Amino acid sequence: MGDFTGHGLAASIGTLPVSRAFYALTQKGLSIPDIATEINKTLYELLPTEMFCAAAIVELNYNATQISVWAGGVPDLYLLHPNGGVKSTIPSMHMPLGVLPTLEFEDTQSIYHVKKLDTLLIYSDGLIELENASQELFGEDKLNALLSNGTTSNMDSLIQSVKEHKGQCSQNDDITIIELKCDVPELPCEQLEKFSIMPQQQTVKLSADYLKRVNPISEITETVCSIKGVLRHKSNIFLILSEAYNNALEHGVLKMDSN
């Protein structure tokens, strides 16, 4: 979820490069820190100083047992119990995208374990800053109270409460609300793609000139994931290969000290 500074046409300038970068990077199986870093770099170079993008980048793993979160400049996220009620609050700990240069940018993600049918609620600040006829904000207290009342249809009751609070007043900011249910469809065994039984071995030789110019992990990951049955593990494979490659390059080739 991304929320740019400002309103209307001016605020939409960055949406195209962000969406293009996001889909390209996720297609390659890059991790959340890499996605956040690349989008931040794009926006930092593209946008004027006063513009930025508050964002929450979330990944639900293949078995729906954990979520990875990078959040910057957005309100805190809420992890909700299946039957309603707040399970935990996930803080937004970073600066928005497009504010800091790459060397100062913090790409750290947070990992949270979830159970089946837990729900993650993500929303823009337009929700809690919505004013009624008395110029009272919707506010985090009202949102917390609404989410803690034990109802199972949080989204329906939340939207209804927003409409009642707004009344006939004009809406001064965009409101985005995302409800991510931590669940995956249970496919019959015969529908799951089985692993290839053909033995395979791959050797890649990288010259010094190549190592100076290119990070080969995305291409290697794509090659490995073309093997039957491997694609669903793409994110983990990318992470493992990245760590192995970085260690080999920094300590094996460049002889850098771990400190």
Side-chain angles (χ1 to χ4, degrees):
M1 184 197 74
D3 185 15
F4 277 92
T5 316
H7 312 291
L9 184 60
S12 68
I13 293 174
T15 57
L16 183 58
V18 165
S19 60
R20 289 181 63 182
F22 177 80
Y23 288 117
L25 296 170
T26 52
Q27 183 66 31
K28 291 181 179 180
L30 266 64
S31 64
I32 284 182
D34 290 323
I35 293 171
T37 299
E38 286 301 314
I39 294 178
N40 178 76
K41 179 182 177 183
T42 298
L43 293 181
Y44 184 79
E45 295 173 351
L46 175 69
L47 298 181
T49 307
E50 68 276 7
M51 282 195 69
F52 52 81
C53 179
I57 308 175
V58 178
E59 180 184 45
L60 176 67
N61 73 338
Y62 189 82
N63 297 317
T65 56
Q66 74 176 31
I67 54 173
S68 306
V69 179
W70 183 98
V74 296
D76 293 343
L77 290 66
Y78 290 101
L79 187 61
L80 309 174
H81 291 287
N83 295 323
V86 177
K87 186 174 183 178
S88 60
T89 301
I90 299 177
S92 177
M93 300 187 296
H94 301 292
M95 295 287 285
L97 297 171
V99 174
L100 298 173
T102 300
L103 290 177
E104 298 177 24
F105 181 73
E106 296 180 350
D107 64 357
T108 308
Q109 65 179 348
S110 300
I111 309 294
Y112 297 88
H113 294 286
V114 296
K115 293 184 178 180
K116 187 174 182 179
L117 299 183
D118 282 351
T119 301
L120 183 68
L121 187 73
I122 313 168
Y123 59 95
S124 64
D125 60 3
L127 171 61
I128 54 177
E129 294 176 1
L130 179 67
E131 293 184 347
N132 61 13
S134 302
Q135 295 187 318
E136 297 171 332
L137 300 180
F138 189 86
E140 292 185 359
D141 290 342
K142 186 171 184 176
L143 177 60
N144 265 294
L146 189 66
L147 297 177
S148 300
N149 65 8
T151 59
T152 55
S153 57
N154 284 298
M155 185 65 84
D156 293 339
S157 57
L158 177 54
I159 291 174
Q160 183 59 35
S161 182
V162 168
K163 290 180 178 178
E164 292 174 357
H165 181 84
K166 176 178 173 289
Q168 300 301 316
C169 297
S170 59
Q171 183 178 317
N172 296 322
D173 195 5
D174 304 316
I175 297 177
T176 299
I177 308 172
I178 299 176
E179 186 181 46
L180 173 65
K181 293 188 179 297
C182 301
D183 193 16
V184 290
E186 295 183 4
L187 297 176
C189 293
E190 61 270 16
Q191 290 188 26
L192 292 175
E193 187 178 26
K194 294 180 172 61
F195 286 107
S196 171
I197 60 173
M198 181 178 69
Q200 300 196 35
Q201 180 176 347
Q202 298 181 13
T203 301
V204 179
K205 294 183 179 180
L206 305 174
S207 65
D209 184 58
Y210 185 89
L211 293 176
K212 291 177 184 177
R213 297 182 293 108
V214 182
N215 185 329
I217 299 306
S218 294
E219 191 169 340
I220 294 175
T221 301
E222 289 292 333
T223 302
V224 173
C225 288
S226 66
I227 300 172
K228 183 179 179 182
V230 178
L231 182 61
R232 63 179 180 268
H233 302 286
K234 187 174 184 178
S235 180
N236 287 334
I237 289 172
F238 179 86
L239 181 63
I240 292 168
L241 289 176
S242 295
E243 291 299 318
Y245 174 78
N246 290 338
N247 284 335
L249 180 64
E250 294 170 4
H251 307 306
V253 177
L254 300 177
K255 306 298 181 183
M256 293 171 62
D257 189 276
S258 295
N259 294 324

